[in-house]
């Protein structure tokens, strides 16, 4: 899997670049992920806002509800939700497509003809997953923050001014950058894992189905581990605002 990631990175800069395949894969990944991502981000942001709002009320720090909930959504929840949907919907479809091509021996036929399946099939799909992850991450951040704002102000009688003021007082631009970097890396991981399992099924239709399940599970495990590493590095390198 690591070797496949290196091959994809190397072939991404080789000509000819499959522009049409890249655009088709971007549209395909967006079509299967944008609606579920939007529907998931609303309750996700609401749950975070309600939980943090209840906690800050208990300790008498209601004025920091906006900052805590928005930072939690942008730094952690947004890239994780995006990656899970990319892996669960887009990655599984990519794995199934490549797996079906493999058992029909289309991949072997391409190699016999001298066409690189990595450059022709895998690179456009991985790049599409990365691009869509970054774009969906922005959408999840906006929808999640709006949902958290609505539920905090309407259901918990929060003050709109305090919600926005605390956010601007504690948030900083690197918080958005680390969110987008996480989404980019998570999209790369989801695409690589899906492509690797799709190119190496056990054999037959059942093997393709097993490969799809394995791809989703492996991606989820890698995402949470990589998220822990990136968060730790970010908190050590970038000082908190006001510190």
């Amino acid at each position: 899997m690591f070797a496949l990631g290196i091959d994809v990175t190397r072939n991404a800069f080789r000509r000819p670049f499959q522009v049409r395949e890249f655009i088709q894969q971007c549209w395909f990944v967006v079509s299967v992920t944008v609606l579920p991502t939007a529907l998931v981000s609303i309750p996700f942001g609401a749950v975070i806002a309600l939980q943090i709002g209840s906690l800050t009320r208990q300790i008498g720090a209601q004025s920091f509800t906006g900052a805590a909930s928005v930072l939690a959504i942008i730094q952690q929840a947004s890239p994780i939700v995006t990656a899970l949907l990319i892996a669960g919907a887009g990655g599984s479809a990519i794995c199934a497509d490549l797996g079906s091509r493999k058992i029909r021996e289309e991949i072997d036929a391409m190699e016999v003809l001298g066409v690189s399946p990595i450059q022709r099939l895998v690179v456009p799909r991985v790049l599409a997953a990365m691009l869509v992850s970054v774009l969906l991450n922005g959408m999840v951040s906006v929808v999640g923050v709006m949902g958290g704002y609505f539920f905090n102000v309407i259901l918990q009688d929060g003050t709109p001014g305090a919600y926005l003021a605390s956010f601007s007082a504690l948030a900083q631009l690197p918080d958005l950058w680390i969110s987008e970097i996480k989404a980019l890396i998570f999209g790369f991981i989801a695409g690589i894992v899906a492509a690797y399992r799709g190119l190496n099924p056990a054999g037959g239709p059942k093997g393709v189905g097993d490969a799809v399940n394995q791809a989703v599970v492996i991606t989820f495990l890698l995402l949470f581990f990589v998220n822990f590493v990136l968060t730790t590095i970010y908190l050590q390198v970038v000082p908190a605002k006001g510190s």
Side-chain angles (χ1 to χ4, degrees):
M1 192 182 302
F2 182 76
L4 178 62
I6 296 177
D7 290 340
V8 170
T9 303
R10 185 170 59 247
N11 282 275
F13 300 98
R14 289 183 177 177
R15 294 184 178 182
F17 181 73
Q18 305 297 327
V19 178
R20 182 175 181 180
E21 183 77 13
F22 171 71
I23 296 175
Q24 290 177 347
Q25 291 302 316
C26 286
W27 175 249
F28 172 73
V29 176
V30 167
S31 64
V32 299
T33 57
V34 62
L35 182 59
T37 304
L39 295 178
V40 169
S41 61
I42 296 175
F44 216 92
V47 168
I48 292 177
L50 293 176
Q51 185 65 45
I52 293 179
S54 176
L55 179 62
T56 54
R57 185 182 295 109
Q58 294 178 17
I59 62 177
Q62 294 92 330
S63 59
F64 293 100
T65 301
S69 60
V70 171
L71 289 178
I73 292 172
I74 292 179
Q75 284 191 21
Q76 304 298 330
S78 179
I80 287 293
V81 169
T82 301
L84 294 182
L85 268 297
I86 288 290
S92 59
I94 291 174
C95 182
D97 178 39
L98 294 178
S100 62
R101 292 172 182 263
K102 181 67 175 181
I103 64 174
R104 291 198 303 264
E105 299 182 350
E106 293 182 17
I107 305 296
D108 298 333
M110 293 177 64
E111 294 176 347
V112 170
L113 294 174
V115 178
S116 172
I118 303 297
Q119 185 180 7
R120 180 64 179 82
L121 299 176
V122 178
V123 170
R125 285 162 171 79
V126 174
L127 294 180
M130 295 171 64
L131 176 61
V132 175
S133 294
V134 173
L135 298 179
L136 285 182
N137 181 68
M139 185 192 74
V140 172
S141 298
V142 173
V143 175
V145 170
M146 292 176 60
Y149 173 85
F150 174 82
F151 282 94
N152 178 259
V153 173
I154 300 300
L155 298 183
Q156 294 184 321
D157 298 326
T159 305
Y163 190 96
L164 298 177
S166 64
F167 167 59
S168 60
L170 296 180
Q172 51 186 343
L173 189 59
D175 296 327
L176 179 61
W177 289 123
I178 188 61
S179 178
E180 296 290 1
I181 291 173
K182 283 183 178 181
L184 186 70
I185 295 176
F186 292 167
F188 178 79
I189 293 175
I192 290 296
V193 174
Y196 176 79
R197 292 306 305 141
L199 293 175
N200 299 277
K206 183 179 182 301
V208 176
D210 294 339
V212 171
N213 294 333
Q214 294 171 8
V216 174
V217 174
I218 294 173
T219 304
F220 283 7
L221 295 176
L222 289 176
L223 290 179
F224 285 107
F225 175 75
V226 173
N227 180 63
F228 167 75
V229 174
L230 292 177
T231 302
T232 303
I233 295 175
Y234 173 75
L235 294 178
Q236 294 294 327
V237 173
V238 180
K241 191 174 182 180
S243 61

